[in-house]
Amino acid sequence: MNVENQLKTPLTQIRNLVKHVNKRNFNESSEQIKQFIQDYGLEADRSCLRYLFTVLNLNDPAPNVTAQLQAKLLGAHLQRQLQCSSFVTNICLAFDQHFAKHKSLKPLALADLVGQVAKLNWH
């Protein structure tokens, strides 16, 4: 059995936790995501980060509650990334995925995107 097949179920569960996060389940979802990452390692970590970047519209001036909570999950995940030896690679892969999804994003918007992501850790 290859790694992709072994990770399919946990990655789907991580995505469902992110997709269905709300005020009532935020803490539990955050802990479950951390546990999945701890249990399944680097690929689960990268997949979670990529998904958080692709699910969020960081240019939305008035995000709904779910988007705000997803942004909070991303901010917490980025904080944890600072403790990983592979954080640069993980963040580069996540940005690459974000740009692939948002092809209309201009290169000049990269500084704005980085600024918006940096603000996630302050909210």
Side-chain angles (χ1 to χ4, degrees), residues 72-108:
K72 191 173 177 181
L73 285 173
L74 176 58
H77 196 87
L78 289 171
Q79 284 285 45
R80 287 190 302 274
Q81 286 294 313
L82 293 174
Q83 300 168 1
C84 297
S85 60
S86 60
F87 79 97
V88 172
T89 303
N90 294 350
I91 292 172
C92 287
L93 288 169
F95 269 88
D96 186 49
Q97 183 87 15
H98 182 79
F99 283 117
K101 182 180 179 208
H102 300 283
K103 293 182 184 203
S104 64
L105 195 60
K106 295 179 176 33
L108 292 176

mmCIF file of all heavy atoms in Angstrom, residues 72-108:
data_model
loop_
_atom_site.group_PDB
_atom_site.id
_atom_site.type_symbol
_atom_site.label_atom_id
_atom_site.label_comp_id
_atom_site.label_asym_id
_atom_site.label_seq_id
_atom_site.Cartn_x
_atom_site.Cartn_y
_atom_site.Cartn_z
ATOM 1 N N LYS A 72 -8.062 31.636 11.359
ATOM 2 C CA LYS A 72 -7.468 31.418 12.679
ATOM 3 C C LYS A 72 -6.741 30.066 12.722
ATOM 4 O O LYS A 72 -5.650 29.967 13.293
ATOM 5 C CB LYS A 72 -8.566 31.480 13.744
ATOM 6 C CG LYS A 72 -8.067 31.536 15.157
ATOM 7 C CD LYS A 72 -9.222 31.772 16.127
ATOM 8 C CE LYS A 72 -8.740 31.757 17.556
ATOM 9 N NZ LYS A 72 -9.846 31.972 18.495
ATOM 10 N N LEU A 73 -7.331 29.046 12.103
ATOM 11 C CA LEU A 73 -6.657 27.750 11.994
ATOM 12 C C LEU A 73 -5.348 27.882 11.215
ATOM 13 O O LEU A 73 -4.326 27.316 11.600
ATOM 14 C CB LEU A 73 -7.556 26.717 11.295
ATOM 15 C CG LEU A 73 -8.703 26.128 12.075
ATOM 16 C CD1 LEU A 73 -9.580 25.261 11.163
ATOM 17 C CD2 LEU A 73 -8.200 25.307 13.258
ATOM 18 N N LEU A 74 -5.392 28.649 10.117
ATOM 19 C CA LEU A 74 -4.181 28.858 9.320
ATOM 20 C C LEU A 74 -3.125 29.583 10.138
ATOM 21 O O LEU A 74 -1.948 29.208 10.112
ATOM 22 C CB LEU A 74 -4.496 29.636 8.038
ATOM 23 C CG LEU A 74 -3.297 29.996 7.156
ATOM 24 C CD1 LEU A 74 -2.530 28.751 6.723
ATOM 25 C CD2 LEU A 74 -3.745 30.805 5.953
ATOM 26 N N GLY A 75 -3.527 30.613 10.858
ATOM 27 C CA GLY A 75 -2.571 31.351 11.685
ATOM 28 C C GLY A 75 -1.907 30.452 12.718
ATOM 29 O O GLY A 75 -0.688 30.482 12.903
ATOM 30 N N ALA A 76 -2.706 29.604 13.369
ATOM 31 C CA ALA A 76 -2.149 28.674 14.358
ATOM 32 C C ALA A 76 -1.232 27.661 13.690
ATOM 33 O O ALA A 76 -0.171 27.312 14.221
ATOM 34 C CB ALA A 76 -3.286 27.967 15.101
ATOM 35 N N HIS A 77 -1.628 27.219 12.514
ATOM 36 C CA HIS A 77 -0.806 26.245 11.789
ATOM 37 C C HIS A 77 0.525 26.871 11.373
ATOM 38 O O HIS A 77 1.576 26.224 11.468
ATOM 39 C CB HIS A 77 -1.563 25.716 10.570
ATOM 40 C CG HIS A 77 -0.982 24.474 10.005
ATOM 41 N ND1 HIS A 77 -1.325 23.234 10.462
ATOM 42 C CD2 HIS A 77 -0.060 24.280 9.048
ATOM 43 C CE1 HIS A 77 -0.643 22.320 9.798
ATOM 44 N NE2 HIS A 77 0.129 22.935 8.928
ATOM 45 N N LEU A 78 0.482 28.108 10.945
ATOM 46 C CA LEU A 78 1.727 28.794 10.573
ATOM 47 C C LEU A 78 2.637 28.973 11.779
ATOM 48 O O LEU A 78 3.862 28.853 11.664
ATOM 49 C CB LEU A 78 1.413 30.146 9.919
ATOM 50 C CG LEU A 78 0.820 30.062 8.523
ATOM 51 C CD1 LEU A 78 0.356 31.432 8.062
ATOM 52 C CD2 LEU A 78 1.808 29.467 7.538
ATOM 53 N N GLN A 79 2.048 29.239 12.930
ATOM 54 C CA GLN A 79 2.852 29.349 14.157
ATOM 55 C C GLN A 79 3.568 28.030 14.436
ATOM 56 O O GLN A 79 4.738 28.015 14.799
ATOM 57 C CB GLN A 79 1.974 29.712 15.360
ATOM 58 C CG GLN A 79 1.553 31.152 15.383
ATOM 59 C CD GLN A 79 2.687 32.071 15.808
ATOM 60 O OE1 GLN A 79 3.824 31.957 15.372
ATOM 61 N NE2 GLN A 79 2.366 32.985 16.678
ATOM 62 N N ARG A 80 2.847 26.916 14.277
ATOM 63 C CA ARG A 80 3.468 25.599 14.493
ATOM 64 C C ARG A 80 4.542 25.318 13.444
ATOM 65 O O ARG A 80 5.525 24.645 13.722
ATOM 66 C CB ARG A 80 2.409 24.494 14.482
ATOM 67 C CG ARG A 80 1.548 24.472 15.732
ATOM 68 C CD ARG A 80 0.682 23.235 15.813
ATOM 69 N NE ARG A 80 -0.209 23.046 14.682
ATOM 70 C CZ ARG A 80 -1.418 23.590 14.565
ATOM 71 N NH1 ARG A 80 -1.877 24.382 15.507
ATOM 72 N NH2 ARG A 80 -2.165 23.344 13.517
ATOM 73 N N GLN A 81 4.341 25.851 12.229
ATOM 74 C CA GLN A 81 5.316 25.623 11.162
ATOM 75 C C GLN A 81 6.689 26.197 11.522
ATOM 76 O O GLN A 81 7.710 25.660 11.108
ATOM 77 C CB GLN A 81 4.844 26.260 9.845
ATOM 78 C CG GLN A 81 3.736 25.526 9.170
ATOM 79 C CD GLN A 81 4.165 24.165 8.681
ATOM 80 O OE1 GLN A 81 5.201 24.004 8.064
ATOM 81 N NE2 GLN A 81 3.347 23.172 8.981
ATOM 82 N N LEU A 82 6.693 27.264 12.301
ATOM 83 C CA LEU A 82 7.969 27.889 12.673
ATOM 84 C C LEU A 82 8.855 26.938 13.468
ATOM 85 O O LEU A 82 10.065 27.125 13.523
ATOM 86 C CB LEU A 82 7.716 29.170 13.471
ATOM 87 C CG LEU A 82 7.062 30.298 12.693
ATOM 88 C CD1 LEU A 82 6.728 31.457 13.628
ATOM 89 C CD2 LEU A 82 7.940 30.760 11.544
ATOM 90 N N GLN A 83 8.277 25.914 14.069
ATOM 91 C CA GLN A 83 9.037 24.951 14.859
ATOM 92 C C GLN A 83 9.490 23.750 14.027
ATOM 93 O O GLN A 83 10.180 22.883 14.540
ATOM 94 C CB GLN A 83 8.195 24.467 16.039
ATOM 95 C CG GLN A 83 7.795 25.588 16.963
ATOM 96 C CD GLN A 83 6.737 25.152 17.961
ATOM 97 O OE1 GLN A 83 6.313 24.014 17.983
ATOM 98 N NE2 GLN A 83 6.311 26.090 18.790
ATOM 99 N N CYS A 84 9.092 23.695 12.762
ATOM 100 C CA CYS A 84 9.424 22.554 11.899
ATOM 101 C C CYS A 84 10.674 22.838 11.087
ATOM 102 O O CYS A 84 10.864 23.956 10.593
ATOM 103 C CB CYS A 84 8.279 22.263 10.932
ATOM 104 S SG CYS A 84 6.758 21.783 11.719
ATOM 105 N N SER A 85 11.489 21.821 10.919
ATOM 106 C CA SER A 85 12.694 21.992 10.112
ATOM 107 C C SER A 85 12.350 22.189 8.636
ATOM 108 O O SER A 85 13.145 22.748 7.881
ATOM 109 C CB SER A 85 13.624 20.791 10.277
ATOM 110 O OG SER A 85 12.973 19.605 9.875
ATOM 111 N N SER A 86 11.168 21.753 8.231
ATOM 112 C CA SER A 86 10.769 21.864 6.824
ATOM 113 C C SER A 86 9.803 23.023 6.577
ATOM 114 O O SER A 86 9.098 23.027 5.579
ATOM 115 C CB SER A 86 10.123 20.553 6.379
ATOM 116 O OG SER A 86 8.991 20.278 7.166
ATOM 117 N N PHE A 87 9.782 24.015 7.471
ATOM 118 C CA PHE A 87 8.762 25.061 7.354
ATOM 119 C C PHE A 87 8.866 25.858 6.052
ATOM 120 O O PHE A 87 7.859 26.204 5.459
ATOM 121 C CB PHE A 87 8.745 25.987 8.574
ATOM 122 C CG PHE A 87 9.808 27.038 8.618
ATOM 123 C CD1 PHE A 87 9.552 28.318 8.193
ATOM 124 C CD2 PHE A 87 11.080 26.731 9.102
ATOM 125 C CE1 PHE A 87 10.524 29.291 8.247
ATOM 126 C CE2 PHE A 87 12.058 27.699 9.150
ATOM 127 C CZ PHE A 87 11.787 28.980 8.725
ATOM 128 N N VAL A 88 10.067 26.122 5.583
ATOM 129 C CA VAL A 88 10.206 26.896 4.341
ATOM 130 C C VAL A 88 9.615 26.111 3.167
ATOM 131 O O VAL A 88 8.844 26.656 2.375
ATOM 132 C CB VAL A 88 11.683 27.261 4.072
ATOM 133 C CG1 VAL A 88 11.849 27.890 2.703
ATOM 134 C CG2 VAL A 88 12.200 28.199 5.151
ATOM 135 N N THR A 89 9.950 24.838 3.083
ATOM 136 C CA THR A 89 9.412 24.000 2.014
ATOM 137 C C THR A 89 7.900 23.913 2.107
ATOM 138 O O THR A 89 7.202 24.054 1.098
ATOM 139 C CB THR A 89 10.022 22.582 2.088
ATOM 140 O OG1 THR A 89 11.437 22.696 2.004
ATOM 141 C CG2 THR A 89 9.507 21.694 0.976
ATOM 142 N N ASN A 90 7.375 23.691 3.306
ATOM 143 C CA ASN A 90 5.929 23.565 3.489
ATOM 144 C C ASN A 90 5.203 24.835 3.067
ATOM 145 O O ASN A 90 4.175 24.783 2.390
ATOM 146 C CB ASN A 90 5.593 23.241 4.940
ATOM 147 C CG ASN A 90 6.088 21.877 5.358
ATOM 148 O OD1 ASN A 90 6.523 21.074 4.540
ATOM 149 N ND2 ASN A 90 6.030 21.616 6.648
ATOM 150 N N ILE A 91 5.724 25.964 3.463
ATOM 151 C CA ILE A 91 5.074 27.235 3.132
ATOM 152 C C ILE A 91 5.186 27.522 1.635
ATOM 153 O O ILE A 91 4.226 27.977 1.015
ATOM 154 C CB ILE A 91 5.630 28.377 4.006
ATOM 155 C CG1 ILE A 91 5.173 28.133 5.455
ATOM 156 C CG2 ILE A 91 5.180 29.746 3.507
ATOM 157 C CD1 ILE A 91 5.778 29.047 6.478
ATOM 158 N N CYS A 92 6.330 27.213 1.042
ATOM 159 C CA CYS A 92 6.483 27.394 -0.409
ATOM 160 C C CYS A 92 5.490 26.527 -1.173
ATOM 161 O O CYS A 92 4.870 26.990 -2.137
ATOM 162 C CB CYS A 92 7.907 27.081 -0.848
ATOM 163 S SG CYS A 92 9.094 28.337 -0.363
ATOM 164 N N LEU A 93 5.323 25.279 -0.753
ATOM 165 C CA LEU A 93 4.351 24.393 -1.408
ATOM 166 C C LEU A 93 2.930 24.938 -1.259
ATOM 167 O O LEU A 93 2.134 24.874 -2.192
ATOM 168 C CB LEU A 93 4.440 22.988 -0.823
ATOM 169 C CG LEU A 93 5.680 22.188 -1.191
ATOM 170 C CD1 LEU A 93 5.771 20.924 -0.337
ATOM 171 C CD2 LEU A 93 5.681 21.834 -2.664
ATOM 172 N N ALA A 94 2.616 25.461 -0.099
ATOM 173 C CA ALA A 94 1.275 26.009 0.129
ATOM 174 C C ALA A 94 1.032 27.249 -0.735
ATOM 175 O O ALA A 94 -0.042 27.401 -1.321
ATOM 176 C CB ALA A 94 1.081 26.346 1.602
ATOM 177 N N PHE A 95 2.031 28.133 -0.833
ATOM 178 C CA PHE A 95 1.891 29.312 -1.680
ATOM 179 C C PHE A 95 1.750 28.904 -3.143
ATOM 180 O O PHE A 95 0.960 29.481 -3.878
ATOM 181 C CB PHE A 95 3.089 30.257 -1.515
ATOM 182 C CG PHE A 95 2.895 31.297 -0.459
ATOM 183 C CD1 PHE A 95 3.238 31.034 0.859
ATOM 184 C CD2 PHE A 95 2.381 32.538 -0.762
ATOM 185 C CE1 PHE A 95 3.069 31.985 1.844
ATOM 186 C CE2 PHE A 95 2.204 33.500 0.208
ATOM 187 C CZ PHE A 95 2.552 33.227 1.520
ATOM 188 N N ASP A 96 2.520 27.907 -3.556
ATOM 189 C CA ASP A 96 2.447 27.426 -4.931
ATOM 190 C C ASP A 96 1.038 26.939 -5.247
ATOM 191 O O ASP A 96 0.481 27.258 -6.290
ATOM 192 C CB ASP A 96 3.475 26.317 -5.148
ATOM 193 C CG ASP A 96 3.555 25.887 -6.596
ATOM 194 O OD1 ASP A 96 3.669 26.773 -7.472
ATOM 195 O OD2 ASP A 96 3.518 24.671 -6.846
ATOM 196 N N GLN A 97 0.456 26.193 -4.338
ATOM 197 C CA GLN A 97 -0.913 25.697 -4.497
ATOM 198 C C GLN A 97 -1.892 26.877 -4.568
ATOM 199 O O GLN A 97 -2.819 26.874 -5.366
ATOM 200 C CB GLN A 97 -1.272 24.781 -3.329
ATOM 201 C CG GLN A 97 -2.618 24.156 -3.422
ATOM 202 C CD GLN A 97 -2.585 22.864 -4.209
ATOM 203 O OE1 GLN A 97 -1.528 22.316 -4.452
ATOM 204 N NE2 GLN A 97 -3.727 22.393 -4.602
ATOM 205 N N HIS A 98 -1.680 27.886 -3.716
ATOM 206 C CA HIS A 98 -2.552 29.063 -3.707
ATOM 207 C C HIS A 98 -2.512 29.776 -5.051
ATOM 208 O O HIS A 98 -3.542 30.140 -5.601
ATOM 209 C CB HIS A 98 -2.127 30.008 -2.580
ATOM 210 C CG HIS A 98 -2.991 31.220 -2.459
ATOM 211 N ND1 HIS A 98 -4.217 31.185 -1.848
ATOM 212 C CD2 HIS A 98 -2.805 32.494 -2.884
ATOM 213 C CE1 HIS A 98 -4.761 32.401 -1.894
ATOM 214 N NE2 HIS A 98 -3.927 33.193 -2.508
ATOM 215 N N PHE A 99 -1.302 29.953 -5.600
ATOM 216 C CA PHE A 99 -1.177 30.637 -6.883
ATOM 217 C C PHE A 99 -1.779 29.819 -8.019
ATOM 218 O O PHE A 99 -2.329 30.373 -8.963
ATOM 219 C CB PHE A 99 0.277 30.977 -7.184
ATOM 220 C CG PHE A 99 0.777 32.165 -6.423
ATOM 221 C CD1 PHE A 99 1.805 32.028 -5.504
ATOM 222 C CD2 PHE A 99 0.210 33.410 -6.595
ATOM 223 C CE1 PHE A 99 2.251 33.123 -4.782
ATOM 224 C CE2 PHE A 99 0.657 34.514 -5.878
ATOM 225 C CZ PHE A 99 1.678 34.360 -4.972
ATOM 226 N N ALA A 100 -1.689 28.504 -7.935
ATOM 227 C CA ALA A 100 -2.296 27.653 -8.961
ATOM 228 C C ALA A 100 -3.812 27.807 -8.960
ATOM 229 O O ALA A 100 -4.445 27.797 -10.012
ATOM 230 C CB ALA A 100 -1.910 26.195 -8.734
ATOM 231 N N LYS A 101 -4.403 27.969 -7.791
ATOM 232 C CA LYS A 101 -5.852 28.126 -7.687
ATOM 233 C C LYS A 101 -6.292 29.524 -8.109
ATOM 234 O O LYS A 101 -7.309 29.701 -8.749
ATOM 235 C CB LYS A 101 -6.320 27.853 -6.257
ATOM 236 C CG LYS A 101 -7.816 27.965 -6.102
ATOM 237 C CD LYS A 101 -8.279 27.710 -4.696
ATOM 238 C CE LYS A 101 -9.784 27.870 -4.633
ATOM 239 N NZ LYS A 101 -10.232 28.289 -3.332
ATOM 240 N N HIS A 102 -5.522 30.526 -7.714
ATOM 241 C CA HIS A 102 -5.880 31.922 -7.991
ATOM 242 C C HIS A 102 -4.975 32.457 -9.094
ATOM 243 O O HIS A 102 -4.119 33.305 -8.855
ATOM 244 C CB HIS A 102 -5.735 32.769 -6.723
ATOM 245 C CG HIS A 102 -6.604 32.308 -5.603
ATOM 246 N ND1 HIS A 102 -7.946 32.570 -5.559
ATOM 247 C CD2 HIS A 102 -6.333 31.567 -4.500
ATOM 248 C CE1 HIS A 102 -8.467 32.040 -4.471
ATOM 249 N NE2 HIS A 102 -7.509 31.414 -3.816
ATOM 250 N N LYS A 103 -5.185 31.968 -10.306
ATOM 251 C CA LYS A 103 -4.312 32.333 -11.425
ATOM 252 C C LYS A 103 -4.370 33.815 -11.762
ATOM 253 O O LYS A 103 -3.455 34.356 -12.350
ATOM 254 C CB LYS A 103 -4.665 31.500 -12.650
ATOM 255 C CG LYS A 103 -4.342 30.048 -12.443
ATOM 256 C CD LYS A 103 -4.636 29.223 -13.645
ATOM 257 C CE LYS A 103 -4.364 27.790 -13.247
ATOM 258 N NZ LYS A 103 -4.094 26.901 -14.245
ATOM 259 N N SER A 104 -5.434 34.488 -11.372
ATOM 260 C CA SER A 104 -5.562 35.912 -11.665
ATOM 261 C C SER A 104 -4.720 36.769 -10.718
ATOM 262 O O SER A 104 -4.595 37.972 -10.924
ATOM 263 C CB SER A 104 -7.022 36.348 -11.595
ATOM 264 O OG SER A 104 -7.503 36.181 -10.276
ATOM 265 N N LEU A 105 -4.154 36.158 -9.682
ATOM 266 C CA LEU A 105 -3.347 36.892 -8.714
ATOM 267 C C LEU A 105 -2.075 37.371 -9.394
ATOM 268 O O LEU A 105 -1.325 36.602 -9.968
ATOM 269 C CB LEU A 105 -3.003 35.982 -7.536
ATOM 270 C CG LEU A 105 -2.478 36.628 -6.274
ATOM 271 C CD1 LEU A 105 -3.500 37.609 -5.711
ATOM 272 C CD2 LEU A 105 -2.183 35.572 -5.233
ATOM 273 N N LYS A 106 -1.855 38.661 -9.363
ATOM 274 C CA LYS A 106 -0.693 39.251 -10.011
ATOM 275 C C LYS A 106 0.528 39.145 -9.099
ATOM 276 O O LYS A 106 0.392 39.145 -7.883
ATOM 277 C CB LYS A 106 -0.976 40.714 -10.336
ATOM 278 C CG LYS A 106 -2.094 40.872 -11.352
ATOM 279 C CD LYS A 106 -2.361 42.323 -11.628
ATOM 280 C CE LYS A 106 -3.387 42.563 -12.688
ATOM 281 N NZ LYS A 106 -4.465 41.671 -12.841
ATOM 282 N N PRO A 107 1.727 39.064 -9.690
ATOM 283 C CA PRO A 107 2.940 38.952 -8.860
ATOM 284 C C PRO A 107 3.067 40.066 -7.824
ATOM 285 O O PRO A 107 3.562 39.841 -6.733
ATOM 286 C CB PRO A 107 4.069 39.019 -9.882
ATOM 287 C CG PRO A 107 3.464 38.524 -11.148
ATOM 288 C CD PRO A 107 2.022 38.983 -11.106
ATOM 289 N N LEU A 108 2.589 41.270 -8.140
ATOM 290 C CA LEU A 108 2.674 42.367 -7.179
ATOM 291 C C LEU A 108 1.800 42.106 -5.957
ATOM 292 O O LEU A 108 2.032 42.652 -4.884
ATOM 293 C CB LEU A 108 2.271 43.687 -7.840
ATOM 294 C CG LEU A 108 3.217 44.221 -8.914
ATOM 295 C CD1 LEU A 108 2.644 45.485 -9.542
ATOM 296 C CD2 LEU A 108 4.587 44.494 -8.325
#
